[in-house]
Amino acid sequence: MELGLSGKRALVTGASAGLGAAIAEALAQEGVRLAVMARREVPLQGFVARHGAAAIMCDIADPDALDRGADAAAAALGGIDILVNAAGAAGPIGLGGDDAVWARDFALNFTAPRRLAERLLPAMRSRGWGRVISLTGNNETHGLNTAGAAKAALTFWSKGAASEVASDGVTVNAIAPGRLWSEQIRNRIHPDEAERARFIADNIPLGRFGDPEELAAVAVFLASERASYVTGTTITVDGGMARAVR
């Protein structure tokens, strides 16, 4: 199937590992020219060597650094047609949690992707074509989580923004990942093999964690010409995971 992506220009945040890296690789395989953004330079070096991408070192939670990074990516590629907001981090917290933690995690998981999109959208609208794709999350979680609340805000923003830019040929969508076999899953969320097996048995009907490449395929579709009538929606990629996970 021809996806019409060859020669398009994309910026992918959180591209040093995990889902962001998988999405960047999948887009490159379709002939997309890439700018990859992350805080860590070393993990990007192999991708840059393989695909000739522009590497943008940036802490997206810093508004000034984010603006400079967006401008550098656009300058390196001559413009951005596709934005993939893949950077983020989980943040479990209890009632009465520190306001500074809430502010930090909202800055990373909501304000940064919103700000980046709003900086790049005017040029997309003027060209009459663009894609904004953001990784969000499961909005029916068990327990308080700063990232979950921030990602719910990002889902709501994506729906509203989609209606604002649809007439200009720009789509805005979200992808809600379940448990995908990434660095964060291996090292932070489910480091214990026995606990991992119990979680899968209790919560995931397909009986396994997903591969990042399975989510990346959805992102590539949403970025493509084939998805021109898909906007303002969230696609869940979670193996049928129970909504209120334990």
Side-chain angles (χ1 to χ4, degrees):
M1 179 184 292
E2 174 55 50
L3 296 177
L5 282 169
S6 182
K8 296 293 187 185
R9 303 159 298 183
L11 169 60
V12 180
T13 71
S16 61
L19 304 182
I23 292 169
E25 188 68 39
L27 288 170
Q29 294 297 326
E30 294 295 328
V32 176
R33 298 167 55 212
L34 269 295
V36 286
M37 182 179 286
R39 288 181 299 175
R40 299 179 295 172
E41 181 177 7
V42 172
L44 293 180
Q45 290 175 347
F47 184 88
V48 170
R50 289 193 306 277
H51 301 295
I56 310 293
M57 300 303 106
C58 178
D59 178 359
I60 68 169
D62 178 340
D64 292 335
L66 182 64
D67 290 347
R68 290 193 300 271
D71 292 346
L77 300 180
I80 301 295
D81 304 303
I82 301 160
L83 168 63
V84 180
N85 287 310
I93 195 169
L95 283 171
D98 191 338
D99 282 351
V101 175
W102 279 102
R104 179 199 67 197
D105 289 357
F106 259 78
L108 174 62
N109 292 290
F110 172 67
T111 304
R114 176 194 59 78
R115 184 185 181 95
L116 186 53
E118 291 179 352
R119 193 169 186 87
L120 297 175
L121 276 169
M124 293 182 188
R125 298 177 78 178
S126 69
R127 290 191 296 269
W129 199 96
R131 302 285 189 264
V132 176
I133 302 161
S134 299
L135 301 192
T136 57
N138 172 19
N139 291 333
E140 296 183 42
T141 189
H142 177 74
L144 278 173
N145 188 296
T146 55
K151 294 292 191 179
L154 185 57
T155 299
F156 189 91
W157 176 88
S158 297
K159 180 72 172 179
S163 66
E164 295 283 333
V165 301
S167 63
D168 297 313
V170 179
T171 66
V172 183
N173 291 293
I175 303 174
R179 294 299 199 267
L180 300 163
W181 192 239
S182 65
E183 179 182 1
Q184 187 179 63
I185 291 291
R186 289 192 299 272
N187 298 336
R188 280 194 56 199
I189 300 176
H190 297 290
D192 180 76
E193 186 174 355
E195 184 278 332
R196 191 184 308 144
R198 287 193 298 271
F199 181 91
I200 291 171
D202 289 345
N203 296 289
I204 306 178
L206 279 181
R208 62 178 177 85
F209 288 155
D211 293 322
E213 292 75 16
E214 292 175 298
L215 180 140
V218 176
V220 168
F221 168 70
L222 289 175
S224 75
E225 292 283 2
R226 296 286 182 171
S228 60
Y229 200 59
V230 181
T231 196
T233 194
T234 299
I235 297 178
T236 302
V237 182
D238 69 356
M241 189 168 72
R243 293 297 85 201
V245 298
R246 292 181 285 278

